[in-house]
Structures are given as structure tokens and as C-alpha cells.
Amino acid sequence: MHESPIANILILAGNEETARRWAEILRNRHARVWTRAADVAAELAQAQLDLIVTDADPSSQLPAGQSNPSPAEDALADPPGVIAVGGQGPADICLPADATPRELQLACRL
């Protein structure tokens, strides 16, 4: 049986409760989910971030660059997909603020 690859998902939500709820919805055997950009930097030194789920502008919440790129910035060398929940702006998929758990899961699978 063929196993799906692990997806690396970063959640950038405006509040911790939303971030925890989205993480619970998205975390499964096929996805690693982080709710803080700083945590991603340490763990993705050898991998790539696949998806950002956000209710804000994702570039405003990522770690600021230094003269040498951080592991998080290296992971973003090939930009991840972006799902904007209830937001406006650049995104691959835009969902309404009241998106259901199923809608969020399906958007991530795309």
C-alpha cells in the first residue's frame, strides 16, 4: 500500500485559540502542523514548508531575515501554498471566516 508523503503545515492565526483549533483539524498521520513560525525554523532545517494556513498576511508573521537566511527562510525558498481563511490578499485558496473543518481539510489536500 502506498503511503502519502508528510505535508509540513504552518498555521499563522491571529489568536492562539484559532491556531489550536486549526491544528487539531489538520493534524493527522499525513501532516506535521506548527502554530509558531519560530518552531518551524528549528525543525525544517532539512525539509520544506508546504503550506501556510492564515487569517493574516503570512509574510508579516515570519521571522525577519538577517544577513544569513534562517532555516525558515531557506524552507521558503520554494514558496509554500497559502490558504487565507477569512482574509483578503495573496493566497492560493481563500476560504470564508466561517469555513467548516471539512472545507479546511479539503483545501489543505489540494
Side-chain angles (χ1 to χ4, degrees), residues 20-107:
R20 277 193 302 269
R21 184 169 42 87
W22 290 352
E24 288 174 16
I25 291 168
L26 298 176
R27 193 171 284 125
N28 62 48
R29 66 182 184 165
H30 301 294
R32 278 184 243 147
V33 180
W34 292 271
T35 57
R36 294 179 350 144
D39 295 340
V40 171
E43 293 194 43
L44 287 184
Q46 304 293 322
Q48 178 175 330
L49 184 62
D50 298 305
L51 184 62
I52 296 173
V53 178
T54 185
D55 56 6
D57 177 6
S59 63
S60 69
Q61 297 185 36
L62 292 173
Q66 305 281 331
S67 58
N68 293 325
S70 71
E73 290 169 325
D74 285 341
L76 294 176
D78 185 17
V82 176
I83 296 175
V85 180
Q88 307 285 327
D92 297 297
I93 298 174
C94 293
L95 295 174
D98 62 349
T100 67
R102 178 113 172 113
E103 290 170 323
L104 186 57
Q105 290 168 342
L106 288 172

